[in-house]
Amino acid sequence: MRWLQQLATRAEPTVHGGHGKRPTDPRTPPTPAPKPQLGVAVGFLVPPILVPNVDDLNQLGYHLNNMFYGTAGVATLLFILVIIVFQEKPEIPPSQAQAAIHASPRKDYSYVKSIQGMVKSIPFFLLIITYGINTGSYYAVSTLLNKMVLAHYPSEELNAGRIGLTIVIAGMVGSIICGIWLDKTQTYKQTIMAVYFLSFAGMVVFTFTLDLGHLWVLFVTGGVLGFFMTGYLPLGFEFAAELTYPESEGTSSGLLNESAQIFGIILTISQGKLIDQFGTRAGNILIFVFLFVGTVLTALIKSDLKRMRANLYAEKPSLEANHHIDYGSTAATISSSIFPLRLLPSEAEEEISSSIILNEAAL
């Protein structure tokens, strides 16, 4: 019943921002398009309609075959469209990190060394863990939602699917709003910390309102939970791009997704076992305990915004020239007040300078 939904969730792209036609401003994260969540929403809504709850195993098998063959047909069509329509890479690199990679000789770039360098970064390693916990919790709750709802509201398969749809639609709205907020404020650490804590709080509320006997309460609490848990996803990708610059965003996004799959499998199996043996509340308590741990670990992440600093550093020469023309001898004073040297440690300055040179050569 949830196969299509899980397939759509795990198909979330790992190359973030890699399809644009123009280089993006590193200070301005793109507002996320809720394409994966739309597939998840369809996965919640369609399977309960295609596969009704019947006792006859032959009829059940017939309905499952129809759903699986339909899914295979859609997947085949998408596969063909990818072959025909998708470019190998955009004509202009979508980011400074991609430009630096494209400009460097192929033999100088090592995918394995790139991963090793990222994992050795303590802030990014903590982000891998916290992102995996949050997204894995979302996977577990969405996978077992039908079981949890039917445990307290028998014969409500369609409403279980609608609650899942509510979670996903609220998450789509949350992704867009969180992306716009991050674009306007550039408060990466504060925003991620707030959204993570609210995901934890939403899970606590969902846990203790699940058995109240009112379906409308589940629609409300599920919507709130989805708003923050799904809204966290694009924030994690953008924060990873900041922490790992000038490495490829595709690599950092891939590592986050791998962590999400691992935690998703672990939490789904563990929560399912707890629900079977001790009830829904025990399974949900496991999830919000993990979310609490993730919240604490998120607070420990150092907000090292390398991509933003690199952009400021790249703009420094042009601003110096403009101030020199307009104000003459005061140029150095104004420039130093806008771009204090403490923005860039010496090692980071040297690393970012080389990547900017490669970027300019590529563009």
Side-chain angles (χ1 to χ4, degrees), residues 264-322:
I265 292 171
I266 294 172
L267 291 176
T268 300
I269 294 174
S270 301
Q271 186 185 14
K273 294 290 186 182
L274 287 175
I275 290 175
D276 291 338
Q277 295 184 17
F278 304 104
T280 57
R281 180 165 295 185
N284 287 331
I285 287 175
L286 171 72
I287 299 299
F288 74 64
V289 166
F290 267 87
L291 287 173
F292 177 76
V293 173
T295 303
V296 174
L297 293 178
T298 299
L300 300 177
I301 298 176
K302 180 182 178 182
S303 185
D304 186 12
L305 306 180
K306 298 178 182 178
R307 187 176 62 174
M308 187 182 299
R309 286 207 310 269
N311 187 70
L312 293 174
Y313 186 79
E315 291 178 351
K316 180 178 178 181
S318 60
L319 287 178
E320 283 181 337
N322 291 338

Side-chain angles (χ1 to χ4, degrees), residues 93-167:
S95 65
Q96 291 188 14
Q98 288 294 321
I101 292 173
H102 294 165
S104 61
R106 193 65 185 170
K107 62 181 181 180
D108 292 343
Y109 178 76
S110 171
Y111 184 71
V112 174
K113 289 183 179 179
S114 175
I115 293 178
Q116 290 176 345
M118 289 182 181
V119 174
K120 289 179 182 178
S121 169
I122 299 300
F124 181 64
F125 183 77
L126 289 175
L127 181 63
I128 290 176
I129 302 299
T130 56
Y131 183 91
I133 291 174
N134 191 296
T135 311
S137 298
Y138 172 76
Y139 290 163
V141 171
S142 60
T143 301
L144 299 170
L145 180 64
N146 191 66
K147 176 184 286 189
M148 289 189 285
V149 172
L150 293 181
H152 300 284
Y153 307 90
S155 303
E156 292 289 353
E157 291 86 359
L158 287 178
N159 275 323
R162 290 166 185 159
I163 292 170
L165 179 64
T166 302
I167 291 174

